[in-house]
Amino acid sequence: MTFTEELRRENDDIFQAIFDHPFVRGLGEGELPDEAVAHYVKADYEYLNTFMQLYGTAVSQSKKREDIAFFQAQIAFVLGDEIHPHHNLCNYIGVPYEELQGFPLPPTADHYRTHMKSVATEGLLGKTIAAMLPCPWTYQEIGQELKKEFSPEPDHPFYEWIEFYADDSITYTTDYLLKRLNEEAEAASSEDRKLMKDAFRKSCQLEYAFWEMSYTIEGWPVGEGVLK
């Protein structure tokens, strides 16, 4: 069993909870509250800004040109391609994408961003990948699960969203990160492998929490958050 196969087995409880979350189920069923969708897009826009910065950190931690090229290409992918599922959601609620940009992150998303940045500052590529991997991996499996269960046609409200995350481009991203994490884990100490597992599970927990944050329209206890 590879390191990432261990990760998937050990975190299956969270993956299954994500598949069963009402926001994710709503994507498959084609019906979600407008306010929840807007809250998700606002948070995900800022979250992806951080994710691109983390790809930049991964570039600085890379020793192989192949890795540098991959992480650089992922920044371009987020900028040029991952806006499409956002547009699908915006069309569903009838709100221009530009009107949902530049908002402070809710507490959960802010926690998630801080967690990943904290792991990345430790300087090891394997840990950085471990903290980032749950995002593309869970979305890939969500897309595949929803496509398999609901077989959406082009008139499905979230057809573009589901097709995007079930597509081979997401599989390519996930597979590359899985391969590199396996390689980094194989060369790492037992202590660092444990830290990779901890970072991965916490990110999985926060992936679930991000869906919950969106569905419940989570906000700060007093006043607004801070955009940074």
Side-chain angles (χ1 to χ4, degrees):
M1 183 177 292
T2 67
F3 182 72
T4 56
E5 286 171 343
E6 288 181 28
L7 290 178
R8 182 61 182 83
R9 182 193 63 187
E10 292 168 359
N11 293 279
D12 185 63
D13 56 339
I14 306 176
F15 274 70
Q16 293 303 321
I18 290 172
F19 300 153
D20 293 337
H21 192 276
F23 196 117
V24 174
R25 298 299 300 168
L27 287 167
E29 293 163 359
E31 186 174 0
L32 281 168
D34 288 2
E35 297 84 356
V37 173
H39 204 59
Y40 170 89
V41 174
K42 289 177 183 178
D44 203 46
Y45 178 82
E46 292 299 329
Y47 169 87
L48 288 176
N49 285 342
T50 297
F51 215 75
M52 288 187 286
Q53 294 167 1
L54 289 164
Y55 277 134
T57 300
V59 168
S60 71
Q61 295 170 343
S62 298
K63 298 178 181 178
K64 302 177 182 179
R65 286 199 174 194
E66 180 186 11
D67 288 342
I68 293 171
F70 170 79
F71 293 124
Q72 183 180 25
Q74 289 309 301
I75 295 173
F77 179 78
V78 174
L79 284 171
D81 293 84
E82 205 152 7
I83 61 172
H84 297 313
H86 280 179
H87 280 297
N88 182 191
L89 297 177
C90 290
N91 290 338
Y92 176 77
I93 61 176
V95 178
Y97 190 28
E98 295 72 20
E99 292 185 12
L100 299 178
Q101 299 173 11
F103 287 85
L105 284 172
T108 292
D110 188 61
H111 182 187
Y112 197 174
R113 171 176 64 180
T114 301
H115 157 63
M116 291 189 297
K117 283 187 170 183
S118 175
V119 172
T121 58
E122 295 177 15
L124 291 179
L125 180 60
K127 293 181 185 178
T128 301
I129 294 174
M132 297 179 70
L133 179 57
C135 179
W137 199 354
T138 58
Y139 272 69
Q140 174 199 349
E141 292 204 19
I142 289 168
Q144 293 172 344
E145 289 285 332
L146 294 180
K147 186 173 183 177
K148 178 181 178 181
E149 179 178 356
F150 294 97
S151 301
E153 297 293 333
D155 60 349
H156 187 286
F158 302 116
Y159 174 81
E160 295 174 34
W161 194 100
I162 294 170
E163 286 292 316
F164 182 87
Y165 287 111
D167 188 74
D168 289 343
S169 59
I170 302 298
T171 302
Y172 166 75
T173 298
T174 304
D175 285 351
Y176 190 93
L177 293 173
L178 290 169
K179 175 179 75 74
R180 289 298 292 116
L181 183 53
N182 282 329
E183 293 169 350
E184 291 295 314
E186 187 175 351
S189 66
S190 58
E191 179 182 357
D192 281 338
R193 284 195 296 272
K194 174 65 165 59
L195 292 172
M196 290 176 193
K197 286 191 173 187
D198 290 346
F200 180 86
R201 184 164 180 86
K202 186 169 184 177
S203 289
C204 286
Q205 294 278 17
L206 289 166
E207 279 294 328
Y208 175 88
F210 199 104
W211 294 112
E212 181 71 5
M213 169 204 78
S214 302
Y215 198 70
T216 60
I217 317 175
E218 176 193 273
W220 292 91
V222 180
E224 297 294 330
V226 177
L227 182 64
K228 60 179 179 179

